Amino acid sequence: MTGRVFGIQSTILSGVMIGAPLLGGVMVQVAGPSRIFLNFGIVIALIGVLGIAFGRVLWPAQKEKSDSSAEKARTVEVMEGS
């Protein structure tokens, strides 16, 4: 099963490595390099702004270490007391 998964992954990555430069070349021929760089820059900036704006929703904060340390201490106290 592991070999099958790595085989599929390798095939997909090989396709991307062949297809990405070809697609990039076509896009530059059609729209020009400055237009392509501008558009990709805008898209990357939007992804970054969305990540910052919705960061707490996408990646909820974990409990602070002091909270988990306090929980461990309480657990130890309860176990020692019984």
Side-chain angles (χ1 to χ4, degrees):
M1 188 59 107
T2 303
R4 192 178 303 171
V5 169
F6 281 113
I8 292 169
Q9 178 185 4
S10 177
T11 301
I12 291 172
L13 287 176
S14 296
V16 168
M17 294 300 241
I18 292 170
L22 295 173
L23 181 60
V26 170
M27 290 169 59
V28 167
Q29 288 292 321
V30 170
S34 61
R35 182 81 159 168
I36 297 301
F37 275 103
L38 178 67
N39 289 343
F40 273 100
I42 290 170
V43 168
I44 291 170
L46 286 174
I47 292 171
V49 168
L50 288 173
I52 292 170
F54 296 108
R56 292 184 182 206
V57 175
L58 296 171
W59 306 285
Q62 296 178 353
K63 288 185 177 182
E64 293 182 18
K65 288 184 179 181
S66 61
D67 289 346
S68 62
S69 298
E71 280 184 33
K72 287 179 184 176
R74 274 187 250 125
T75 304
V76 170
E77 288 175 5
V78 169
M79 291 177 69
E80 289 176 353
S82 34

